Amino acid sequence: AQSVAQPEDQVNVAEGNPLTVKCTYSVSGNPYLFWYVQYPNRGLQFLLKYITGDNLVKGSYGFEAEFNKSQTSFHLKKPSALVSDSALYFCAVRDLWAGSYQLTFGKGTKLSVIP
Amino acid sequence: ETGVTQTPRHLVMGMTNKKSLKCEQHLGHNAMYWYKQSAKKPLELMFVYSLEERVENNSVPSRFSPECPNSSHLFLHLHTLQPEDSALYLCASSQEGLTSTRDTQYFGPGTRLTVL
C-alpha cells in the first residue's frame, strides 16, 4: 500500500530565509506526487505535482519541489520565505502501479514564517 | 478561488437533526469527491463519484449519504450524527477521475461541521 510521511509537525523559518518542508513516500510502482497548501479556514490549494521527467518541479507562489527516487523523497522548497507563506502544507502520493486513483495524504506540516 | 464552492461554510447540528452539505464545481470536471479532515489526522477520502456514478465508498457509516444529481453538484446528507463526526468536510473535483492517475484534484473551502 502507498503511504506518505511528513516527519515534521511544524517548521519555523525567518522571513527571507530559504524554507524546506520534508516529505517521504512509499509506493509499489512509479509515484505521482503532489503538494497542497491550506490557509486557515480554507480548503486545500494545489501547488505542484511530479509526474515524470525533470526531478525539479516548479509550482505556484515561487515554490518548487525536488523528486529524489533513491531517497524516496519529494521535499518542498522556496528560496526566500514570506510571512504570507505561513500555512499548513500537505504532501500526497498516488501510486500508478497499484491501479488506485486515491490520493494518500500526509498529516501535514505547519509552516510559520517569522517576520 | 479554485472553482469549487461549498455551502454552508459552517454548520452546527444536534445528534437528531438532518442536514445536507452542498458542493458545486464550475470547472467542467467529471469526478467529485468528499473528504473528511479531522484535527491531527490525514485527510480521509469518503466518497468518489465519476460521471455521476458512485465508484468508491471507503467504509463510511450509513449516517452519511452522498448524492450526485449531475456532474456539477454533489451533496452529503447527514442524519443522526455523533460528536466525533465534527470535522471539516472538503469537496473536491477533477477532470478525469478514475481514468487517469495523473489527475489533479481541486478543493472547495470546506464546511466546518460541529455536532452537539
Side-chain angles (χ1 to χ4, degrees):
Chain A
Q2 61 204 46
S3 67
V4 61
Q6 295 181 243
E8 301 158 316
D9 290 337
Q10 177 146 359
V11 171
N12 298 321
V13 62
E15 185 178 21
N17 282 4
L19 69 87
T20 299
V21 183
K22 295 180 180 178
C23 172
T24 59
Y25 65 89
S26 175
V27 296
S28 57
N30 294 320
Y32 284 159
L33 295 155
F34 299 76
W35 274 103
Y36 285 83
V37 60
Q38 185 177 33
Y39 297 100
N41 301 314
R42 302 290 295 276
L44 276 66
Q45 294 182 30
F46 169 71
L47 277 179
L48 52 80
K49 65 182 177 182
Y50 171 80
I51 303 300
T52 186
D54 290 340
N55 290 341
L56 186 63
V57 180
K58 294 188 182 296
S60 305
Y61 313 120
F63 283 93
E64 58 188 26
E66 185 172 7
F67 171 67
N68 188 317
K69 189 172 184 178
S70 62
Q71 297 184 7
T72 62
S73 67
F74 189 57
H75 300 332
L76 182 70
K77 300 181 179 182
K78 187 174 182 180
S80 179
L82 301 173
V83 173
S84 57
D85 293 329
S86 299
L88 192 56
Y89 290 81
F90 292 93
C91 182
V93 64
R94 179 183 285 135
D95 185 342
L96 178 60
W97 281 23
S100 171
Y101 56 86
Q102 295 187 26
L103 278 177
T104 299
F105 286 85
K107 291 185 177 181
T109 298
K110 182 179 180 181
L111 173 68
S112 294
V113 180
I114 304 163
Chain B
E1 299 302 325
T2 63
V4 181
T5 59
Q6 290 186 242
T7 55
R9 294 294 307 276
H10 300 272
L11 178 62
V12 179
M13 58 187 292
M15 294 169 59
T16 58
N17 291 157
K18 290 184 180 181
K19 297 287 184 182
S20 295
L21 310 184
K22 178 183 177 182
C23 176
E24 182 174 1
Q25 59 97 358
H26 310 274
L27 301 169
H29 288 167
N30 293 316
M32 297 187 77
Y33 310 75
W34 279 116
Y35 284 87
K36 177 183 179 182
Q37 185 179 25
S38 305
K40 307 295 184 181
K41 294 177 67 175
L43 267 71
E44 302 171 58
L45 179 63
M46 301 174 71
F47 301 104
V48 182
Y49 277 82
S50 180
L51 296 173
E52 302 156 40
E53 178 181 348
R54 189 191 307 182
V55 294
E56 187 67 30
N57 177 347
N58 279 355
S59 303
V60 179
S62 59
R63 56 185 183 269
F64 294 91
S65 175
E67 178 189 2
C68 188
N70 55 63
S71 60
S72 298
H73 294 86
L74 184 66
F75 295 88
L76 187 62
H77 304 298
L78 316 171
H79 63 99
T80 59
L81 294 191
Q82 304 298 311
E84 59 264 30
D85 296 323
S86 298
L88 182 67
Y89 288 84
L90 293 166
C91 174
S93 72
S94 68
Q95 180 63 47
E96 300 177 60
L98 293 182
T99 61
S100 171
T101 57
R102 298 169 177 244
D103 218 17
T104 299
Q105 294 178 19
Y106 294 90
F107 287 78
T111 294
R112 175 67 64 185
L113 174 66
T114 302
V115 182
L116 302 177

